Amino acid sequence: MKAALSSCRRHFLSSLIFSALMNLLYIGPVLYMLQVYDRVVAGQGRLTLLFLTIIIAVVIGTLSLLELVRSRLLVRASIRLDRQLAGQLLDTTLSGRGSTGERMNKQVLREFDTLRQALTGPTILSIFDFPWSPVYVLVCFLIHPAIAALAVVGGGALLFIAWRNEKGTNAPLKQANEAANKAYVSQEQTLAGAEVIRALGMRHALVRRHLLERQTMLSLQANASFAGGHYVAISKFIRLILQSLALGLGAWLAINNQISAGAIFASSFLVGRALSPIDQLLGAWRSVVHARASYATLNDLLATREADIALTRLPPPNGHIAVEHLTHFIPGQERPILADISFAVEPGEVVAIVGPSGAGKSTLLRMLSGAARPLRGSIRFDGANVQDWDTERLAAFIGYLPQDTSLFAGTIKENIARFQNFLSEEDEAIDNAVIEAARLSGAHDMILQLPGGYNRTLGWGGRGLSAGQAQRVGLARALYGTPPLVFLDEPNAHLDAEGEVRLVATLDDLKKKKASVIIVAHRMGILGVVDKIMVMRDGRLETFGPRDEVLGRLKAIRSEEQPKAQTAEG
Ligand SMILES: Nc1ncnc2c1ncn2[C@@H]1O[C@H](COP(=O)(O)OP(=O)(O)OP(=O)(O)O)[C@@H](O)[C@H]1O
């Protein structure tokens, strides 16, 4: 974060210098006013007036030019910040290393935009103008110490209000921002599930829920506005009244022959300019608070990134899997969802994980595929701990089909190619790999039958396919690039009989290609091709061994349990 900001240092520094120059040039109209009233009008100097007017036109022209350059510089800084940080932030969020929670994950770029806009918009300009208040007070002093005293009193009053504002509005503003973020994320989630909401008659209930969330948000925003609003109003009142008072004081001093007539208007202008940066900063305080909070959160998030940097590029794994003492907990829950799991799989082996619902099968697969990280224990591919891998590089050697398939908006081809077309120009190679993966998964013919074939565009969340079709496309995506490590979570859950036969053929092909395959299965249609079976229960590995041996053991247990049950019933 700091590095990105320092890369824009030149832009910020130049903007600061331009702001300084502009503030200096703002004194030009004051001098013009003084000269016109005191020299031109009094002495009827037409030529002087012309000369002065040309100078002031140049000054104002330069001011406008500086303003233009300054705003362009800030736009450049904004684009630069976006180029440097937006990708990193999104990447870190997707890597799952940050601990900012689901809400922040969804808001990360919105938070970044808030910070970026504050750093490159009117907020930073009011901060750049702020140090110029004392300079204007000094110019007031040159006109008359009494005018400067008025500006100092006014500035002091405004600073006091700014301090009260900071104290009084910080907490309510933070709460209001939090509530707003929560309400927006919650709404997004609901809108994504609109179909189910309609079907199950949850519309009114959820509208009510969101209205309640909005009520909380609005009442917190109102609190923050009430807390800050009167400070802004008082500040504006002080600035305006002081400007008029400066005019009155100037007139009084002029009557007493202490300043010239031209200095009356100059005094009012200068007092106004001395006070306006404080006033502006007060108005922009809401965005300062928000930007400060965003900076802290985004900085924390990016701090989790560093470990990715100097990882050695390990050779592609052959498919040896060794899991040692794998354990995982959900924070706040005592019972582990995976408890001390150890096993090994060799290349070319197909392993089925079976067990009751909630046994931890999907969780184990999520850990193996890199979708989630275990809290304890290790997973090694060809001896190398997954933690020593660059996650994105390792993912190229892993095929993962999650339980809910999880396709994305885009074409079928893009989904199967894992959207690599956004990274590589080699369209033909990608197309070939997509078709090879679809053939290997048995989805090729099915895709050709669909309107648009591989170019069929799927909607939000990959909509536009039946569950079985989506599962086959998901399997093709898992097999893109023929990875040596394949983890499939219930790949036959939505398949018809023909699809299941194709799946068995796919598993056979993978075996021939010496891939290691681990499949979570409730339906036993694939058992014929399986080499080993792992039985899980309550997060523990109950049995693991060759298929027939484990099936025999399970049969024996069942036949032991049946007479017991019959006796109990009898
Ligand atoms: N994100 C989560 N937060 C809290 N608990 C979770 C989370 N994910 C999984 N669990 C819990 O972990 C346990 C294992 O879940 P998992 O999905 O791995 O089971 P499973 O064996 O795959 O079940 P199924 O056969 O029904 O898919 C369950 O008790 C579940 O409630």
Side-chain angles (χ1 to χ4, degrees), residues 90-99 105 301 304 371 373:
L90 209 53
D91 190 57
T92 314
T93 311
L94 285 173
S95 78
R97 289 198 175 182
S99 54
N105 284 350
L301 177 68
T304 59
R373 284 157 202 279

PDB file of all heavy atoms in Angstrom, residues 90-99 105 301 304 371 373:
ATOM      1  N   LEU A  90      -7.825  -7.398  -5.258  1.00  0.00           N
ATOM      2  CA  LEU A  90      -8.754  -8.447  -5.669  1.00  0.00           C
ATOM      3  C   LEU A  90      -8.084  -9.817  -5.571  1.00  0.00           C
ATOM      4  O   LEU A  90      -8.671 -10.786  -5.092  1.00  0.00           O
ATOM      5  CB  LEU A  90      -9.191  -8.172  -7.111  1.00  0.00           C
ATOM      6  CG  LEU A  90     -10.558  -8.668  -7.504  1.00  0.00           C
ATOM      7  CD1 LEU A  90     -11.612  -8.166  -6.548  1.00  0.00           C
ATOM      8  CD2 LEU A  90     -10.902  -8.198  -8.911  1.00  0.00           C
ATOM      9  N   ASP A  91      -6.815  -9.853  -5.981  1.00  0.00           N
ATOM     10  CA  ASP A  91      -6.062 -11.099  -5.946  1.00  0.00           C
ATOM     11  C   ASP A  91      -5.899 -11.593  -4.505  1.00  0.00           C
ATOM     12  O   ASP A  91      -6.095 -12.769  -4.213  1.00  0.00           O
ATOM     13  CB  ASP A  91      -4.686 -10.851  -6.586  1.00  0.00           C
ATOM     14  CG  ASP A  91      -3.946 -12.144  -6.813  1.00  0.00           C
ATOM     15  OD1 ASP A  91      -4.520 -12.994  -7.511  1.00  0.00           O
ATOM     16  OD2 ASP A  91      -2.835 -12.311  -6.291  1.00  0.00           O
ATOM     17  N   THR A  92      -5.571 -10.657  -3.597  1.00  0.00           N
ATOM     18  CA  THR A  92      -5.391 -11.058  -2.194  1.00  0.00           C
ATOM     19  C   THR A  92      -6.721 -11.524  -1.612  1.00  0.00           C
ATOM     20  O   THR A  92      -6.771 -12.500  -0.864  1.00  0.00           O
ATOM     21  CB  THR A  92      -4.856  -9.875  -1.357  1.00  0.00           C
ATOM     22  OG1 THR A  92      -3.796  -9.280  -2.075  1.00  0.00           O
ATOM     23  CG2 THR A  92      -4.362 -10.332  -0.014  1.00  0.00           C
ATOM     24  N   THR A  93      -7.793 -10.839  -1.975  1.00  0.00           N
ATOM     25  CA  THR A  93      -9.106 -11.246  -1.466  1.00  0.00           C
ATOM     26  C   THR A  93      -9.426 -12.654  -1.953  1.00  0.00           C
ATOM     27  O   THR A  93      -9.875 -13.507  -1.183  1.00  0.00           O
ATOM     28  CB  THR A  93     -10.189 -10.280  -1.961  1.00  0.00           C
ATOM     29  OG1 THR A  93      -9.751  -8.966  -1.711  1.00  0.00           O
ATOM     30  CG2 THR A  93     -11.503 -10.505  -1.264  1.00  0.00           C
ATOM     31  N   LEU A  94      -9.182 -12.892  -3.249  1.00  0.00           N
ATOM     32  CA  LEU A  94      -9.495 -14.211  -3.805  1.00  0.00           C
ATOM     33  C   LEU A  94      -8.569 -15.295  -3.257  1.00  0.00           C
ATOM     34  O   LEU A  94      -8.949 -16.451  -3.177  1.00  0.00           O
ATOM     35  CB  LEU A  94      -9.390 -14.176  -5.332  1.00  0.00           C
ATOM     36  CG  LEU A  94     -10.538 -13.481  -6.043  1.00  0.00           C
ATOM     37  CD1 LEU A  94     -10.259 -13.346  -7.523  1.00  0.00           C
ATOM     38  CD2 LEU A  94     -11.837 -14.232  -5.835  1.00  0.00           C
ATOM     39  N   SER A  95      -7.342 -14.894  -2.870  1.00  0.00           N
ATOM     40  CA  SER A  95      -6.409 -15.902  -2.352  1.00  0.00           C
ATOM     41  C   SER A  95      -6.878 -16.441  -1.010  1.00  0.00           C
ATOM     42  O   SER A  95      -6.428 -17.489  -0.563  1.00  0.00           O
ATOM     43  CB  SER A  95      -5.004 -15.306  -2.215  1.00  0.00           C
ATOM     44  OG  SER A  95      -4.947 -14.515  -1.049  1.00  0.00           O
ATOM     45  N   GLY A  96      -7.782 -15.700  -0.360  1.00  0.00           N
ATOM     46  CA  GLY A  96      -8.345 -16.193   0.900  1.00  0.00           C
ATOM     47  C   GLY A  96      -7.414 -16.009   2.074  1.00  0.00           C
ATOM     48  O   GLY A  96      -7.655 -16.531   3.147  1.00  0.00           O
ATOM     49  N   ARG A  97      -6.303 -15.264   1.901  1.00  0.00           N
ATOM     50  CA  ARG A  97      -5.367 -15.097   3.018  1.00  0.00           C
ATOM     51  C   ARG A  97      -5.809 -14.009   3.976  1.00  0.00           C
ATOM     52  O   ARG A  97      -5.470 -14.035   5.133  1.00  0.00           O
ATOM     53  CB  ARG A  97      -3.986 -14.754   2.490  1.00  0.00           C
ATOM     54  CG  ARG A  97      -3.369 -15.932   1.835  1.00  0.00           C
ATOM     55  CD  ARG A  97      -1.893 -15.780   1.699  1.00  0.00           C
ATOM     56  NE  ARG A  97      -1.380 -17.015   1.156  1.00  0.00           N
ATOM     57  CZ  ARG A  97      -0.127 -17.269   0.942  1.00  0.00           C
ATOM     58  NH1 ARG A  97       0.767 -16.379   1.230  1.00  0.00           N
ATOM     59  NH2 ARG A  97       0.257 -18.410   0.451  1.00  0.00           N
ATOM     60  N   GLY A  98      -6.502 -13.006   3.451  1.00  0.00           N
ATOM     61  CA  GLY A  98      -6.925 -11.893   4.301  1.00  0.00           C
ATOM     62  C   GLY A  98      -7.947 -12.366   5.319  1.00  0.00           C
ATOM     63  O   GLY A  98      -8.662 -13.334   5.084  1.00  0.00           O
ATOM     64  N   SER A  99      -8.001 -11.689   6.457  1.00  0.00           N
ATOM     65  CA  SER A  99      -8.957 -12.118   7.480  1.00  0.00           C
ATOM     66  C   SER A  99      -9.996 -11.024   7.668  1.00  0.00           C
ATOM     67  O   SER A  99     -10.386 -10.720   8.764  1.00  0.00           O
ATOM     68  CB  SER A  99      -8.209 -12.374   8.786  1.00  0.00           C
ATOM     69  OG  SER A  99      -7.469 -11.224   9.103  1.00  0.00           O
ATOM     70  N   ASN A 105     -14.739  -8.790   1.962  1.00  0.00           N
ATOM     71  CA  ASN A 105     -14.327  -9.384   0.696  1.00  0.00           C
ATOM     72  C   ASN A 105     -15.169  -8.861  -0.454  1.00  0.00           C
ATOM     73  O   ASN A 105     -14.691  -8.633  -1.538  1.00  0.00           O
ATOM     74  CB  ASN A 105     -14.473 -10.912   0.757  1.00  0.00           C
ATOM     75  CG  ASN A 105     -13.342 -11.509   1.559  1.00  0.00           C
ATOM     76  OD1 ASN A 105     -12.390 -10.824   1.884  1.00  0.00           O
ATOM     77  ND2 ASN A 105     -13.465 -12.780   1.880  1.00  0.00           N
ATOM     78  N   LEU A 301      -5.215  -5.997   4.782  1.00  0.00           N
ATOM     79  CA  LEU A 301      -5.471  -7.049   3.794  1.00  0.00           C
ATOM     80  C   LEU A 301      -4.215  -7.300   2.954  1.00  0.00           C
ATOM     81  O   LEU A 301      -3.793  -8.440   2.751  1.00  0.00           O
ATOM     82  CB  LEU A 301      -6.636  -6.628   2.888  1.00  0.00           C
ATOM     83  CG  LEU A 301      -6.992  -7.571   1.752  1.00  0.00           C
ATOM     84  CD1 LEU A 301      -7.574  -8.856   2.310  1.00  0.00           C
ATOM     85  CD2 LEU A 301      -8.004  -6.942   0.809  1.00  0.00           C
ATOM     86  N   THR A 304      -1.160  -9.369   4.219  1.00  0.00           N
ATOM     87  CA  THR A 304      -1.208 -10.841   4.193  1.00  0.00           C
ATOM     88  C   THR A 304      -0.623 -11.378   2.889  1.00  0.00           C
ATOM     89  O   THR A 304      -0.495 -12.573   2.700  1.00  0.00           O
ATOM     90  CB  THR A 304      -2.656 -11.344   4.309  1.00  0.00           C
ATOM     91  OG1 THR A 304      -3.389 -10.812   3.219  1.00  0.00           O
ATOM     92  CG2 THR A 304      -3.294 -10.934   5.614  1.00  0.00           C
ATOM     93  N   ALA A 371      -8.702 -24.987  -2.157  1.00  0.00           N
ATOM     94  CA  ALA A 371      -9.818 -24.040  -2.028  1.00  0.00           C
ATOM     95  C   ALA A 371      -9.849 -23.453  -0.620  1.00  0.00           C
ATOM     96  O   ALA A 371     -10.261 -22.313  -0.423  1.00  0.00           O
ATOM     97  CB  ALA A 371     -11.140 -24.735  -2.335  1.00  0.00           C
ATOM     98  N   ARG A 373      -7.641 -23.580   3.471  1.00  0.00           N
ATOM     99  CA  ARG A 373      -6.366 -23.930   4.100  1.00  0.00           C
ATOM    100  C   ARG A 373      -6.612 -24.609   5.439  1.00  0.00           C
ATOM    101  O   ARG A 373      -7.409 -24.115   6.233  1.00  0.00           O
ATOM    102  CB  ARG A 373      -5.554 -22.671   4.389  1.00  0.00           C
ATOM    103  CG  ARG A 373      -4.920 -22.103   3.191  1.00  0.00           C
ATOM    104  CD  ARG A 373      -4.619 -20.632   3.402  1.00  0.00           C
ATOM    105  NE  ARG A 373      -4.492 -20.020   2.099  1.00  0.00           N
ATOM    106  CZ  ARG A 373      -3.396 -20.079   1.361  1.00  0.00           C
ATOM    107  NH1 ARG A 373      -2.335 -20.702   1.818  1.00  0.00           N
ATOM    108  NH2 ARG A 373      -3.341 -19.519   0.172  1.00  0.00           N
TER     109      ARG A 373
END
